[in-house]
PDB file of all heavy atoms in Angstrom:
ATOM      1  N   ILE A 286      39.624 -32.365 -34.093  1.00 96.00           N
ATOM      2  CA  ILE A 286      38.644 -33.104 -33.239  1.00 96.00           C
ATOM      3  C   ILE A 286      39.179 -33.700 -32.035  1.00 96.00           C
ATOM      4  O   ILE A 286      38.483 -33.806 -30.940  1.00 96.00           O
ATOM      5  CB  ILE A 286      37.884 -34.152 -33.997  1.00 96.00           C
ATOM      6  CG1 ILE A 286      37.341 -33.524 -35.404  1.00 96.00           C
ATOM      7  CG2 ILE A 286      36.766 -34.707 -33.222  1.00 96.00           C
ATOM      8  CD1 ILE A 286      36.355 -32.313 -35.100  1.00 96.00           C
ATOM      9  N   GLY A 287      40.439 -34.375 -32.085  1.00 95.00           N
ATOM     10  CA  GLY A 287      41.059 -35.073 -30.833  1.00 95.00           C
ATOM     11  C   GLY A 287      41.073 -34.165 -29.672  1.00 95.00           C
ATOM     12  O   GLY A 287      40.473 -34.695 -28.556  1.00 95.00           O
ATOM     13  N   PRO A 288      41.535 -32.958 -29.590  1.00 93.00           N
ATOM     14  CA  PRO A 288      41.544 -32.193 -28.385  1.00 93.00           C
ATOM     15  C   PRO A 288      40.135 -31.892 -27.940  1.00 93.00           C
ATOM     16  O   PRO A 288      39.935 -31.693 -26.590  1.00 93.00           O
ATOM     17  CB  PRO A 288      42.272 -30.852 -28.882  1.00 93.00           C
ATOM     18  CG  PRO A 288      43.025 -31.228 -30.070  1.00 93.00           C
ATOM     19  CD  PRO A 288      42.221 -32.297 -30.753  1.00 93.00           C
ATOM     20  N   LEU A 289      39.199 -31.746 -28.750  1.00 93.00           N
ATOM     21  CA  LEU A 289      37.771 -31.432 -28.248  1.00 93.00           C
ATOM     22  C   LEU A 289      37.253 -32.641 -27.533  1.00 93.00           C
ATOM     23  O   LEU A 289      36.482 -32.538 -26.511  1.00 93.00           O
ATOM     24  CB  LEU A 289      36.909 -31.072 -29.549  1.00 93.00           C
ATOM     25  CG  LEU A 289      37.259 -29.789 -30.187  1.00 93.00           C
ATOM     26  CD1 LEU A 289      36.299 -29.576 -31.415  1.00 93.00           C
ATOM     27  CD2 LEU A 289      37.385 -28.643 -29.311  1.00 93.00           C
ATOM     28  N   LEU A 290      37.389 -33.898 -28.084  1.00 93.00           N
ATOM     29  CA  LEU A 290      37.003 -35.106 -27.508  1.00 93.00           C
ATOM     30  C   LEU A 290      37.719 -35.184 -26.001  1.00 93.00           C
ATOM     31  O   LEU A 290      37.012 -35.468 -25.111  1.00 93.00           O
ATOM     32  CB  LEU A 290      37.288 -36.396 -28.283  1.00 93.00           C
ATOM     33  CG  LEU A 290      36.553 -36.542 -29.621  1.00 93.00           C
ATOM     34  CD1 LEU A 290      37.045 -37.671 -30.351  1.00 93.00           C
ATOM     35  CD2 LEU A 290      35.084 -36.597 -29.275  1.00 93.00           C
ATOM     36  N   ALA A 291      39.008 -35.002 -26.036  1.00 92.00           N
ATOM     37  CA  ALA A 291      39.668 -35.123 -24.669  1.00 92.00           C
ATOM     38  C   ALA A 291      39.080 -34.114 -23.732  1.00 92.00           C
ATOM     39  O   ALA A 291      39.015 -34.322 -22.418  1.00 92.00           O
ATOM     40  CB  ALA A 291      41.053 -34.798 -24.924  1.00 92.00           C
ATOM     41  N   ALA A 292      38.798 -32.865 -24.182  1.00 89.00           N
ATOM     42  CA  ALA A 292      38.389 -31.781 -23.229  1.00 89.00           C
ATOM     43  C   ALA A 292      36.984 -32.192 -22.659  1.00 89.00           C
ATOM     44  O   ALA A 292      36.698 -31.995 -21.392  1.00 89.00           O
ATOM     45  CB  ALA A 292      38.247 -30.497 -24.091  1.00 89.00           C
ATOM     46  N   ARG A 293      36.190 -32.884 -23.309  1.00 86.00           N
ATOM     47  CA  ARG A 293      34.945 -33.369 -22.826  1.00 86.00           C
ATOM     48  C   ARG A 293      34.992 -34.428 -21.824  1.00 86.00           C
ATOM     49  O   ARG A 293      34.390 -34.536 -20.937  1.00 86.00           O
ATOM     50  CB  ARG A 293      33.795 -33.845 -23.991  1.00 86.00           C
ATOM     51  CG  ARG A 293      33.583 -32.656 -24.942  1.00 86.00           C
ATOM     52  CD  ARG A 293      32.520 -33.192 -25.959  1.00 86.00           C
ATOM     53  NE  ARG A 293      31.262 -33.735 -25.397  1.00 86.00           N
ATOM     54  CZ  ARG A 293      30.260 -33.020 -25.014  1.00 86.00           C
ATOM     55  NH1 ARG A 293      30.275 -31.645 -25.296  1.00 86.00           N
ATOM     56  NH2 ARG A 293      29.141 -33.465 -24.508  1.00 86.00           N
ATOM     57  N   MET A 294      35.976 -35.266 -22.172  1.00 85.00           N
ATOM     58  CA  MET A 294      36.240 -36.497 -21.240  1.00 85.00           C
ATOM     59  C   MET A 294      37.024 -35.958 -19.921  1.00 85.00           C
ATOM     60  O   MET A 294      36.788 -36.688 -18.901  1.00 85.00           O
ATOM     61  CB  MET A 294      37.044 -37.558 -21.975  1.00 85.00           C
ATOM     62  CG  MET A 294      36.275 -38.289 -23.105  1.00 85.00           C
ATOM     63  SD  MET A 294      37.105 -39.592 -23.816  1.00 85.00           S
ATOM     64  CE  MET A 294      38.318 -38.768 -24.839  1.00 85.00           C
ATOM     65  N   ARG A 295      37.635 -35.025 -19.993  1.00 80.00           N
ATOM     66  CA  ARG A 295      38.531 -34.553 -18.885  1.00 80.00           C
ATOM     67  C   ARG A 295      37.614 -33.929 -17.728  1.00 80.00           C
ATOM     68  O   ARG A 295      38.067 -33.764 -16.652  1.00 80.00           O
ATOM     69  CB  ARG A 295      39.534 -33.568 -19.407  1.00 80.00           C
ATOM     70  CG  ARG A 295      40.867 -33.770 -18.760  1.00 80.00           C
ATOM     71  CD  ARG A 295      41.922 -32.883 -19.204  1.00 80.00           C
ATOM     72  NE  ARG A 295      41.622 -31.664 -19.958  1.00 80.00           N
ATOM     73  CZ  ARG A 295      42.201 -31.453 -21.212  1.00 80.00           C
ATOM     74  NH1 ARG A 295      42.902 -32.378 -21.758  1.00 80.00           N
ATOM     75  NH2 ARG A 295      41.818 -30.361 -21.848  1.00 80.00           N
ATOM     76  N   LYS A 296      36.371 -33.559 -18.059  1.00 70.00           N
ATOM     77  CA  LYS A 296      35.492 -32.939 -17.059  1.00 70.00           C
ATOM     78  C   LYS A 296      35.267 -33.731 -15.867  1.00 70.00           C
ATOM     79  O   LYS A 296      35.104 -33.273 -14.860  1.00 70.00           O
ATOM     80  CB  LYS A 296      34.296 -32.423 -17.748  1.00 70.00           C
ATOM     81  CG  LYS A 296      34.356 -31.497 -18.809  1.00 70.00           C
ATOM     82  CD  LYS A 296      32.996 -31.079 -19.471  1.00 70.00           C
ATOM     83  CE  LYS A 296      33.166 -29.780 -20.412  1.00 70.00           C
ATOM     84  NZ  LYS A 296      31.856 -29.638 -21.000  1.00 70.00           N
ATOM     85  N   ASP A 297      35.191 -35.047 -16.104  1.00 63.00           N
ATOM     86  CA  ASP A 297      34.888 -36.137 -15.019  1.00 63.00           C
ATOM     87  C   ASP A 297      36.170 -36.677 -14.427  1.00 63.00           C
ATOM     88  O   ASP A 297      36.167 -37.624 -13.745  1.00 63.00           O
ATOM     89  CB  ASP A 297      33.860 -37.112 -15.548  1.00 63.00           C
ATOM     90  CG  ASP A 297      32.664 -36.549 -16.042  1.00 63.00           C
ATOM     91  OD1 ASP A 297      32.203 -35.560 -15.514  1.00 63.00           O
ATOM     92  OD2 ASP A 297      32.246 -37.149 -17.079  1.00 63.00           O
ATOM     93  N   SER A 298      37.346 -36.023 -14.644  1.00 62.00           N
ATOM     94  CA  SER A 298      38.545 -36.721 -14.342  1.00 62.00           C
ATOM     95  C   SER A 298      38.804 -36.426 -12.760  1.00 62.00           C
ATOM     96  O   SER A 298      38.288 -35.402 -12.210  1.00 62.00           O
ATOM     97  CB  SER A 298      39.828 -36.199 -15.079  1.00 62.00           C
ATOM     98  OG  SER A 298      39.541 -36.514 -16.414  1.00 62.00           O
ATOM     99  N   GLU A 299      39.661 -37.286 -12.219  1.00 61.00           N
ATOM    100  CA  GLU A 299      40.045 -37.147 -10.820  1.00 61.00           C
ATOM    101  C   GLU A 299      40.881 -35.923 -10.562  1.00 61.00           C
ATOM    102  O   GLU A 299      41.602 -35.374 -11.378  1.00 61.00           O
ATOM    103  CB  GLU A 299      40.756 -38.273 -10.268  1.00 61.00           C
ATOM    104  CG  GLU A 299      39.984 -39.642 -10.307  1.00 61.00           C
ATOM    105  CD  GLU A 299      40.738 -40.868  -9.660  1.00 61.00           C
ATOM    106  OE1 GLU A 299      41.572 -40.468  -8.977  1.00 61.00           O
ATOM    107  OE2 GLU A 299      40.405 -41.970 -10.094  1.00 61.00           O
ATOM    108  N   ARG A 300      40.922 -35.388  -9.435  1.00 67.00           N
ATOM    109  CA  ARG A 300      41.730 -34.196  -9.033  1.00 67.00           C
ATOM    110  C   ARG A 300      43.193 -34.831  -8.844  1.00 67.00           C
ATOM    111  O   ARG A 300      43.447 -35.912  -8.716  1.00 67.00           O
ATOM    112  CB  ARG A 300      41.318 -33.672  -7.736  1.00 67.00           C
ATOM    113  CG  ARG A 300      41.384 -34.597  -6.615  1.00 67.00           C
ATOM    114  CD  ARG A 300      40.966 -33.805  -5.256  1.00 67.00           C
ATOM    115  NE  ARG A 300      40.957 -34.833  -4.073  1.00 67.00           N
ATOM    116  CZ  ARG A 300      42.029 -35.226  -3.312  1.00 67.00           C
ATOM    117  NH1 ARG A 300      43.124 -34.633  -3.665  1.00 67.00           N
ATOM    118  NH2 ARG A 300      41.865 -36.103  -2.358  1.00 67.00           N
ATOM    119  N   ALA A 301      44.162 -33.817  -8.913  1.00 69.00           N
ATOM    120  CA  ALA A 301      45.529 -34.245  -8.931  1.00 69.00           C
ATOM    121  C   ALA A 301      45.853 -34.906  -7.662  1.00 69.00           C
ATOM    122  O   ALA A 301      45.397 -34.531  -6.517  1.00 69.00           O
ATOM    123  CB  ALA A 301      46.467 -33.045  -9.134  1.00 69.00           C
ATOM    124  N   MET A 302      46.714 -35.953  -7.649  1.00 77.00           N
ATOM    125  CA  MET A 302      47.032 -36.743  -6.430  1.00 77.00           C
ATOM    126  C   MET A 302      48.535 -37.158  -6.533  1.00 77.00           C
ATOM    127  O   MET A 302      49.173 -37.149  -7.667  1.00 77.00           O
ATOM    128  CB  MET A 302      46.076 -37.873  -6.230  1.00 77.00           C
ATOM    129  CG  MET A 302      46.165 -38.890  -7.350  1.00 77.00           C
ATOM    130  SD  MET A 302      44.928 -40.113  -7.136  1.00 77.00           S
ATOM    131  CE  MET A 302      45.594 -40.960  -5.733  1.00 77.00           C
ATOM    132  N   LYS A 303      48.957 -37.578  -5.419  1.00 83.00           N
ATOM    133  CA  LYS A 303      50.360 -38.078  -5.369  1.00 83.00           C
ATOM    134  C   LYS A 303      50.353 -39.505  -6.085  1.00 83.00           C
ATOM    135  O   LYS A 303      49.606 -40.377  -5.620  1.00 83.00           O
ATOM    136  CB  LYS A 303      50.885 -38.154  -3.986  1.00 83.00           C
ATOM    137  CG  LYS A 303      52.337 -38.553  -3.830  1.00 83.00           C
ATOM    138  CD  LYS A 303      52.820 -38.575  -2.335  1.00 83.00           C
ATOM    139  CE  LYS A 303      54.263 -39.062  -2.284  1.00 83.00           C
ATOM    140  NZ  LYS A 303      54.763 -38.945  -0.902  1.00 83.00           N
ATOM    141  N   PRO A 304      51.249 -39.780  -7.011  1.00 86.00           N
ATOM    142  CA  PRO A 304      51.109 -40.991  -7.680  1.00 86.00           C
ATOM    143  C   PRO A 304      51.643 -42.239  -6.752  1.00 86.00           C
ATOM    144  O   PRO A 304      52.465 -42.044  -5.837  1.00 86.00           O
ATOM    145  CB  PRO A 304      52.156 -40.795  -8.921  1.00 86.00           C
ATOM    146  CG  PRO A 304      53.048 -39.751  -8.450  1.00 86.00           C
ATOM    147  CD  PRO A 304      52.204 -38.894  -7.592  1.00 86.00           C
ATOM    148  N   ASP A 305      51.121 -43.421  -7.149  1.00 85.00           N
ATOM    149  CA  ASP A 305      51.678 -44.523  -6.413  1.00 85.00           C
ATOM    150  C   ASP A 305      52.937 -45.018  -7.002  1.00 85.00           C
ATOM    151  O   ASP A 305      52.875 -45.642  -8.195  1.00 85.00           O
ATOM    152  CB  ASP A 305      50.597 -45.664  -6.543  1.00 85.00           C
ATOM    153  CG  ASP A 305      50.929 -46.948  -5.764  1.00 85.00           C
ATOM    154  OD1 ASP A 305      52.159 -46.969  -5.333  1.00 85.00           O
ATOM    155  OD2 ASP A 305      50.069 -47.740  -5.608  1.00 85.00           O
ATOM    156  N   LEU A 306      54.091 -44.907  -6.455  1.00 89.00           N
ATOM    157  CA  LEU A 306      55.284 -45.131  -7.126  1.00 89.00           C
ATOM    158  C   LEU A 306      55.627 -46.672  -7.212  1.00 89.00           C
ATOM    159  O   LEU A 306      56.683 -47.072  -7.882  1.00 89.00           O
ATOM    160  CB  LEU A 306      56.406 -44.475  -6.290  1.00 89.00           C
ATOM    161  CG  LEU A 306      56.288 -42.920  -6.084  1.00 89.00           C
ATOM    162  CD1 LEU A 306      57.524 -42.402  -5.294  1.00 89.00           C
ATOM    163  CD2 LEU A 306      56.366 -42.339  -7.437  1.00 89.00           C
ATOM    164  N   THR A 307      54.704 -47.427  -6.590  1.00 90.00           N
ATOM    165  CA  THR A 307      54.943 -48.924  -6.733  1.00 90.00           C
ATOM    166  C   THR A 307      54.465 -49.463  -8.128  1.00 90.00           C
ATOM    167  O   THR A 307      54.695 -50.552  -8.603  1.00 90.00           O
ATOM    168  CB  THR A 307      54.348 -49.781  -5.578  1.00 90.00           C
ATOM    169  OG1 THR A 307      52.954 -49.545  -5.726  1.00 90.00           O
ATOM    170  CG2 THR A 307      54.912 -49.223  -4.297  1.00 90.00           C
ATOM    171  N   LEU A 308      53.600 -48.583  -8.728  1.00 92.00           N
ATOM    172  CA  LEU A 308      52.877 -49.199  -9.888  1.00 92.00           C
ATOM    173  C   LEU A 308      53.740 -49.400 -11.110  1.00 92.00           C
ATOM    174  O   LEU A 308      53.629 -50.467 -11.828  1.00 92.00           O
ATOM    175  CB  LEU A 308      51.871 -48.044 -10.455  1.00 92.00           C
ATOM    176  CG  LEU A 308      50.536 -47.917  -9.581  1.00 92.00           C
ATOM    177  CD1 LEU A 308      49.654 -46.828 -10.151  1.00 92.00           C
ATOM    178  CD2 LEU A 308      49.824 -49.238  -9.563  1.00 92.00           C
ATOM    179  N   PRO A 309      54.881 -48.732 -11.487  1.00 94.00           N
ATOM    180  CA  PRO A 309      55.749 -49.069 -12.605  1.00 94.00           C
ATOM    181  C   PRO A 309      56.270 -50.496 -12.417  1.00 94.00           C
ATOM    182  O   PRO A 309      56.206 -51.397 -13.364  1.00 94.00           O
ATOM    183  CB  PRO A 309      56.832 -48.147 -12.577  1.00 94.00           C
ATOM    184  CG  PRO A 309      56.082 -46.906 -11.839  1.00 94.00           C
ATOM    185  CD  PRO A 309      55.280 -47.411 -10.857  1.00 94.00           C
ATOM    186  N   ARG A 310      56.942 -50.899 -11.197  1.00 94.00           N
ATOM    187  CA  ARG A 310      57.353 -52.132 -11.018  1.00 94.00           C
ATOM    188  C   ARG A 310      56.250 -53.245 -11.093  1.00 94.00           C
ATOM    189  O   ARG A 310      56.440 -54.305 -11.655  1.00 94.00           O
ATOM    190  CB  ARG A 310      58.109 -52.373  -9.690  1.00 94.00           C
ATOM    191  CG  ARG A 310      59.432 -51.480  -9.584  1.00 94.00           C
ATOM    192  CD  ARG A 310      60.152 -51.966  -8.442  1.00 94.00           C
ATOM    193  NE  ARG A 310      59.486 -51.596  -7.189  1.00 94.00           N
ATOM    194  CZ  ARG A 310      59.688 -50.580  -6.510  1.00 94.00           C
ATOM    195  NH1 ARG A 310      60.645 -49.634  -6.844  1.00 94.00           N
ATOM    196  NH2 ARG A 310      58.935 -50.327  -5.360  1.00 94.00           N
ATOM    197  N   LEU A 311      55.056 -52.789 -10.506  1.00 93.00           N
ATOM    198  CA  LEU A 311      54.021 -53.829 -10.482  1.00 93.00           C
ATOM    199  C   LEU A 311      53.504 -54.153 -11.980  1.00 93.00           C
ATOM    200  O   LEU A 311      53.212 -55.348 -12.204  1.00 93.00           O
ATOM    201  CB  LEU A 311      52.780 -53.277  -9.770  1.00 93.00           C
ATOM    202  CG  LEU A 311      51.685 -54.252  -9.361  1.00 93.00           C
ATOM    203  CD1 LEU A 311      52.322 -55.232  -8.375  1.00 93.00           C
ATOM    204  CD2 LEU A 311      50.522 -53.425  -8.623  1.00 93.00           C
TER     205      LEU A 311
END
C-alpha cells in the first residue's frame, strides 16, 4: 500500500530544481 499512497501524492509534486545548498547548515 505504501508505494500506491506515495504515487498518488507525487502527482502534485514540484518539478526538479537545483537544491539550496545552505539548507543543511541552516
Side-chain angles (χ1 to χ4, degrees):
I286 305 300
L289 299 179
L290 291 177
R293 292 182 64 87
M294 291 183 287
R295 224 174 16 237
K296 291 180 181 179
D297 300 325
S298 298
E299 296 183 24
R300 61 182 177 81
M302 60 185 294
K303 185 177 180 180
D305 184 350
L306 301 181
T307 65
L308 286 179
R310 288 195 300 263
L311 194 61

